[in-house]
Amino acid sequence: MTGDTTLREVIGRLGRAIDTLEGAVAARLEHDQDYGEAEAEVQRMNADRARLAQELDNSEARAERLEEANKEVSRRLVTAMETIRAVLDR
C-alpha cells in the first residue's frame, strides 16, 4: 500500500500544482488584459490632450487677433472723435 499511497500523494500534489498553475495563468491573462485596457486609455488621453492643446493654441491665436482688432478699432474711434472735435471747434 505504500506505493499506492505515495502515488496518490504525488497525483494529489500534481493536481494542486496544476490548479496553482491554472490560477497563475488566469491571473496573468487578466493582468495582461488590464494592462492592454490601461494602455488604450493612456493613448485616448494622449489624443485628447493633443486635441485640447491644439484647440487652446487656436483659441489663443484668435484672442490675439481679436485683441489687435480691438486696438485698431479703438485707435480709429479716437481718430474719428478727434476729427469730429476739430470740425466742431471751427
Side-chain angles (χ1 to χ4, degrees):
M1 283 287 198
T2 306
D4 287 340
T5 304
T6 305
L7 181 58
R8 284 185 186 141
E9 290 173 358
V10 168
I11 290 173
R13 286 187 3 221
L14 179 60
R16 289 189 298 277
I18 289 173
D19 290 343
T20 302
L21 179 60
E22 286 175 345
V25 167
R28 177 59 190 239
L29 290 174
E30 185 176 332
H31 176 269
D32 288 349
Q33 182 180 4
D34 290 345
Y35 180 79
E37 290 171 2
E39 182 66 27
E41 181 65 20
V42 167
Q43 289 177 357
R44 283 191 297 273
M45 289 171 57
N46 283 336
D48 285 345
R49 181 188 168 281
R51 180 184 53 79
L52 291 171
Q54 182 62 43
E55 288 178 11
L56 178 61
D57 289 344
N58 292 343
S59 294
E60 287 176 344
R62 184 171 186 265
E64 288 175 9
R65 288 191 311 270
L66 289 172
E67 185 176 347
E68 289 301 317
N70 186 32
K71 287 178 184 177
E72 179 63 21
V73 167
S74 179
R75 185 189 64 76
R76 288 182 182 187
L77 284 173
V78 168
T79 302
M81 287 188 303
E82 289 173 353
T83 303
I84 290 169
R85 280 191 190 121
V87 168
L88 293 176
D89 287 342
R90 288 187 196 166

